[in-house]
Amino acid sequence: MNPYLVGLFVPLIFSVVLRKQRKEKKRGVPVEVGGEPGYAVRNYRFTSPVETTHEGVSTIPELFEHSCKLYSDHHLFGSRKLIARETEVSPDGRSFEKLHLGSYDWKSYSQAFEAVCSFASGLVNLGHAKGERVAIFSDTRAEWQIALQGCFRRNITVVTIYASLGEEALCHSLNETEVSTVVCGPKELKKLIDISGQLDTVKRVIYMDDEDVSIELSSAKTKTPWTITSFIEVEKLGHENPVEADLPVASDIAVIMYTSGSTGLPKGVMMTHGNVLSTVSAVMTIVPSIGCKDVYLAYLPLAHVLELAAEAVMVAAGCSIGYGSPLTLTDTSNKIKKGTKGDASVLGPTLMTAVPAILDRVRDGVRKNVDAKGGLAKKLFDIGYSRRLSAINGSWFGAWGLEKILWDFVVFRKVRAILGGQIRFMLSGGAPLSGDTQRFINICLGAPIGQGYGLTETCAGGSFSAYDDTSVGRVGAPLPCSFIKLIDWPEGGYLITDSPMPRGEIVIGGPNVTAGYFKNEEKTREVYKVDEKGMRWFYTGDIGRFHSDGCLEIIDRKKDIVKLQHGEYVSLGKVESALIVSPYVDNIMLHADPFHSYCVALVVAAPQAIENWAHSKGITFSDFEELCQKEETVKEVHASLVKAAKQARLEKFEIPARIKLLSQPWTPESGLVTAALKLKREVIRKAYAEDLAKFYA
Ligand SMILES: *[C@@H]1O[C@H](CO)[C@@H](O)[C@H](O)[C@H]1NC(C)=O
Ligand SMILES: *[C@@H]1O[C@H](CO)[C@@H](O)[C@H](O)[C@H]1NC(C)=O
Ligand SMILES: *[C@@H]1O[C@H](CO)[C@@H](O)[C@H](O)[C@H]1NC(C)=O
Ligand SMILES: CC(=O)N[C@H]1CO[C@H](CO)[C@@H](O)[C@@H]1O
């Protein structure tokens, strides 16, 4: 046969076969379950929920000990040395802290185990009594995990608190759980002392010592009755006076995790060791060949269930965990001193987790960079991008061989270098990732993104998109530890009989479903139900639909649907995600209520784009605040929203009739968005109540 023909046909046949496989691959299958009637799906490979994958292991401390014995000489925890801390002053007089960080210092699994045992013994020596709780209130770092595992070895329940939580919420969570020992970072020590008058049960504080905190220590002496000890002292104390472990059982509460809810005070979700273990075991069956060679970059808040579960998976698999922070992640991150390296470049991670907001930022950064270069560089990038896109779409041309290597080398290598150049798998969770961003990151990093869907209440268990699933916008099939059921929500117009796909409220059941809210029976009974077979179900309030291959797609949120005066339903989240594509918009919150026939929006302006527009129009302004108040600016931004709305085929009543342009960004510190950067609608509504009232005046 003519070799040219072979050369032509072989890839063609391959591409046809691959396409077929891709289409036909089942990932979830319907299953009969108890409880409220609905459409339920389970993971294709597992008929009953997975509880543990390690023989004889039923709790997290057992899993930790198991790994420490198995991987004793491998690196476990890595932290960067601080070389210098500097203050830089920008031209307009504001000062910024810049860090010069060195290479990673590692603790091996066996060293980490020793530190954990010492910390556990140290706690007992300090006088922490049986049955009392410990709170960890700090940024993500190695000591966080050591403290956590130390507590677990003594069957101590750990209360976790977002480092960016407000004062009121902090007092509430520490008081409600009657915490007697708080482990905190140097920054958080000051916050604690400020509110010490309201903390009745706290007796001792353990601070992580890498900064000079002598001022705080002397102020604590006068203001508080607490015993304050440094982390190193506790370890030393425990090392010299070892105490036997007092291990928990699977049904003991491991963590009470306070989630920054979008309304009111935070609620504490009680997770058992069995809950966490079942999620960890389920994820391990899904991430491809994860093992000792892998290096994981940890930087998301450990007080978030996604990060907590991810790090537990890394420990179970024998990976190394290098700690970083969102502000020092890349060479160009805010806190990195110019000319020095960010966490990712130094560590070269192979695995990472991310929340969509961070990936969106990476995408925008790369796009901006490419646009700024212009010319040949931009052309090459665009061609390379579209080639890879059609390759992923199933065309064989450009999928393999020389062409891929060429594009990777010419175009994408530099993008990859931003995150260290070694990433082979990325996990995204916390909120739905836009299809556009998923594709962009997939192509530029050359690594798949697994999208997870889960909640604190389900211990992050839920669904997970398989690494070979190249579709976008979906969150995958149920994890082997979960059953996912859709139930009718007639008021919202979502039914399991809908065609072409069943739709409804998402309800998650399985061993991963947590024990409920701490000291909140009423709320627990409202959203957790146990069926006649004894399975626990959690009612998420999210609306989803199941594709024919058993993969879930999140399409709406129950709470975020508002009925307008004339009876039309507006899905706030859907409209916001359509409008946020406007280049002028940094963030947006749509507001609608049943008393009016139209929507309005609060828009956080994107400074760069709006200033560029103003310059191009010759508009003069003294500061950005003033520019945002100009009528012509508001008009321009509104016009761009209308355009975005038309592109997304929104209904007329979904387009905000009036907008307010805001010059200040919404950050977790301001309390307007959660640590995962989700809008806190109630808080924002309160903060801008006057502006909202004016809209309807
Ligand atoms: C662990 O601690 C809890 C709370 O103090 C207690 O109820 C439980 O019995 C303990 N578990 C074991 C195995 O001792
Ligand atoms: C702390 O909690 C106790 C009960 O757990 C309650 O009686 C008290 O009012 C709370 N104090 C504050 C400051 O919230
Ligand atoms: C990829 O496929 C999707 C849907 O299957 C289509 O909308 C899109 O235009 C395709 N893109 C390219 C570059 O072929
Ligand atoms: C470890 C754990 O919590 N297991 C529970 C999982 O869920 C089943 C049914 O809901 C319970 O019977 C298990 O005790």
Side-chain angles (χ1 to χ4, degrees):
M1 202 165 155
N2 187 329
Y4 290 106
L5 280 182
V6 176
L8 190 65
F9 277 117
V10 168
L12 241 161
I13 290 165
F14 255 108
S15 85
V16 170
V17 170
L18 281 183
R19 243 191 221 188
K20 263 228 159 103
Q21 268 186 355
R22 206 170 279 167
K23 271 195 191 126
E24 282 173 5
K25 188 151 184 173
K26 276 264 180 210
R27 299 172 191 278
V29 290
V31 61
E32 286 288 328
V33 294
E36 212 167 317
Y39 178 84
V41 173
R42 67 162 166 85
N43 189 281
Y44 185 62
R45 292 187 294 153
F46 297 84
T47 44
S48 65
V50 171
E51 294 195 16
T52 176
T53 46
H54 294 74
E55 190 99 13
V57 168
S58 64
T59 64
I60 298 300
E62 282 167 6
L63 182 66
F64 186 72
E65 190 168 349
H66 175 84
S67 285
C68 288
K69 286 199 175 125
L70 201 58
Y71 308 111
S72 59
D73 294 332
H74 286 96
H75 286 167
L76 174 52
F77 296 136
S79 312
R80 295 186 74 183
K81 272 184 295 235
L82 179 69
I83 295 177
R85 189 186 296 277
E86 293 167 13
T87 310
E88 239 171 54
V89 181
S90 70
D92 57 358
R94 281 179 297 175
S95 62
F96 298 93
E97 186 183 62
K98 298 276 175 185
L99 301 179
H100 183 187
L101 298 168
S103 55
Y104 274 87
D105 263 344
W106 290 97
K107 262 195 172 66
S108 69
Y109 272 82
S110 58
Q111 287 166 336
F113 187 66
E114 211 177 297
V116 164
C117 293
S118 296
F119 186 85
S121 306
L123 268 180
V124 179
N125 283 306
L126 278 184
H128 185 94
K130 216 176 157 74
E132 289 180 345
R133 299 187 187 92
V134 167
I136 306 183
F137 178 45
S138 152
D139 288 333
T140 296
R141 46 191 289 176
E143 287 86 350
W144 209 112
Q145 273 290 349
I146 293 172
L148 180 81
Q149 297 290 352
C151 291
F152 287 170
R153 280 191 78 72
R154 293 290 311 165
N155 183 22
I156 295 170
T157 298
V158 173
V159 177
T160 68
I161 303 164
Y162 274 129
S164 62
L165 217 56
E167 222 169 69
E168 193 191 359
L170 177 62
C171 286
H172 168 75
S173 28
L174 291 177
N175 181 43
E176 188 173 66
T177 49
E178 297 163 59
V179 162
S180 68
T181 304
V182 183
V183 182
C184 68
K187 259 191 323 209
E188 291 77 24
L189 181 58
K190 187 171 173 311
K191 249 194 206 174
L192 279 176
I193 293 169
D194 288 345
I195 56 167
S196 58
Q198 298 168 64
L199 303 176
D200 307 334
T201 58
V202 174
K203 292 186 201 140
R204 55 196 87 76
V205 172
I206 299 169
Y207 67 94
M208 301 170 189
D209 30 2
D210 51 1
E211 277 175 48
D212 182 17
V213 291
S214 45
I215 300 170
E216 281 84 7
L217 288 184
S218 64
S219 101
K221 270 209 188 97
T222 56
K223 281 195 198 154
T224 74
W226 302 337
T227 335
I228 303 191
T229 322
S230 78
F231 204 89
I232 292 180
E233 281 173 70
V234 177
E235 280 187 343
K236 195 157 153 259
L237 191 63
H239 185 73
E240 287 161 3
N241 310 283
V243 178
E244 280 287 302
D246 174 12
L247 294 173
V249 294
S251 59
D252 284 327
I253 306 290
V255 176
I256 301 178
M257 184 169 277
Y258 277 83
T259 61
S260 47
S262 34
T263 55
L265 285 170
K267 296 186 291 281
V269 175
M270 296 185 285
M271 291 173 195
T272 64
H273 284 277
N275 292 154
V276 184
L277 190 65
S278 75
T279 299
V280 169
S281 304
V283 172
M284 292 207 44
T285 65
I286 291 220
V287 181
S289 60
I290 169 174
C292 305
K293 289 212 180 66
D294 281 306
V295 180
Y296 173 79
L297 176 53
Y299 67 99
L300 291 176
L302 258 167
H304 192 298
V305 68
L306 175 71
E307 183 65 24
L308 191 77
E311 289 188 28
V313 171
M314 299 306 145
V315 171
C319 309
S320 311
I321 303 178
Y323 287 90
S325 82
L327 292 174
T328 57
L329 206 56
T330 66
D331 297 352
T332 54
S333 289
N334 281 346
K335 271 203 171 179
I336 288 290
K337 185 184 158 191
K338 250 214 168 88
T340 67
K341 297 268 177 229
D343 305 329
S345 326
V346 176
L347 185 67
T350 59
L351 304 168
M352 263 177 92
T353 41
V355 290
I358 286 179
L359 295 178
D360 286 346
R361 239 177 262 161
V362 171
R363 179 200 62 186
D364 293 346
V366 172
R367 285 239 166 98
K368 218 162 58 192
N369 227 328
V370 169
D371 287 344
K373 273 195 190 136
L376 185 65
K378 180 168 160 50
K379 267 212 188 93
L380 270 178
F381 184 88
D382 288 345
I383 297 174
Y385 188 82
S386 69
R387 289 297 245 213
R388 297 295 305 141
L389 186 60
S390 49
I392 286 178
N393 253 12
S395 149
W396 58 271
F397 201 52
W400 296 299
L402 266 180
E403 195 183 347
K404 175 174 188 303
I405 296 170
L406 184 76
W407 287 123
D408 282 353
F409 186 76
V410 175
V411 182
F412 301 122
R413 192 174 40 125
K414 290 194 198 103
V415 180
R416 258 162 235 183
I418 297 175
L419 293 177
Q422 311 283 326
I423 299 282
R424 66 179 190 91
F425 187 78
M426 205 163 198
L427 165 69
S428 167
L433 181 64
S434 81
D436 181 43
T437 304
Q438 187 180 343
R439 278 259 185 271
F440 193 89
I441 302 281
N442 264 337
I443 288 173
C444 292
L445 288 186
I449 298 185
Q451 258 212 84
Y453 167 73
L455 302 99
T456 312
E457 286 86 344
T458 62
C459 200
S463 72
F464 197 89
S465 66
Y467 66 95
D468 60 345
D469 184 356
T470 54
S471 65
V472 295
R474 316 189 307 170
V475 293
L479 272 172
C481 63
S482 326
F483 290 147
I484 298 187
K485 178 159 75 170
L486 300 179
I487 57 168
D488 286 342
W489 188 45
E491 296 89 335
Y494 293 114
L495 302 174
I496 58 169
T497 48
D498 283 344
S499 107
M501 293 176 222
R503 305 191 297 178
E505 179 181 358
I506 300 168
V507 186
I508 300 179
N512 54 314
V513 173
T514 55
Y517 299 113
F518 186 70
K519 287 192 187 164
N520 198 339
E521 280 283 314
E522 192 190 347
K523 187 73 196 168
T524 302
R525 244 177 297 149
E526 199 180 301
V527 287
Y528 289 88
K529 296 203 172 109
V530 180
D531 71 18
E532 65 280 3
K533 292 180 194 158
M535 178 164 291
R536 274 178 88 75
W537 294 91
F538 176 72
Y539 288 66
T540 65
D542 289 326
I543 305 294
R545 62 179 186 188
F546 266 116
H547 290 252
S548 56
D549 60 354
C551 286
L552 183 68
E553 182 181 350
I554 312 296
I555 50 177
D556 220 326
R557 168 116 196 115
K558 229 169 148 178
K559 258 202 299 216
D560 297 344
I561 296 182
V562 180
K563 197 175 177 182
L564 288 177
Q565 201 174 24
H566 299 316
E568 303 100 339
Y569 282 98
V570 178
S571 157
L572 303 178
K574 182 188 89 181
V575 175
E576 283 157 0
S577 60
L579 299 184
I580 206 164
V581 297
S582 157
Y584 298 136
V585 178
D586 188 46
N587 210 336
I588 182 167
M589 190 186 89
L590 195 74
H591 174 83
D593 63 40
F595 312 107
H596 300 93
S597 57
Y598 57 90
C599 312
V600 296
L602 297 166
V603 179
V604 178
Q608 198 74 52
I610 291 185
E611 285 179 3
N612 286 349
W613 166 79
H615 287 311
S616 75
K617 292 277 172 211
I619 298 169
T620 54
F621 54 94
S622 58
D623 61 14
F624 187 56
E625 171 83 49
E626 183 200 320
L627 180 60
C628 286
Q629 285 178 6
K630 282 185 189 283
E631 202 175 313
E632 49 202 314
T633 317
V634 175
K635 235 184 187 159
E636 170 73 12
V637 174
H638 190 253
S640 85
L641 292 183
V642 173
K643 194 169 144 217
K646 291 219 166 110
Q647 261 168 13
R649 300 219 180 82
L650 294 188
E651 301 288 338
K652 191 139 181 274
F653 61 82
E654 292 177 308
I655 304 175
R658 292 174 173 192
I659 63 168
K660 164 94 186 168
L661 206 52
L662 307 166
S663 58
Q664 293 298 321
W666 291 340
T667 60
E669 288 71 35
S670 67
L672 298 173
V673 290
T674 68
L677 301 175
K678 283 191 219 169
L679 300 178
K680 290 188 180 175
R681 295 185 185 280
E682 286 308 317
V683 181
I684 297 176
R685 265 178 212 136
K686 248 188 222 150
Y688 296 97
E690 261 178 51
D691 293 307
L692 289 174
K694 267 189 222 149
F695 282 140
Y696 294 117

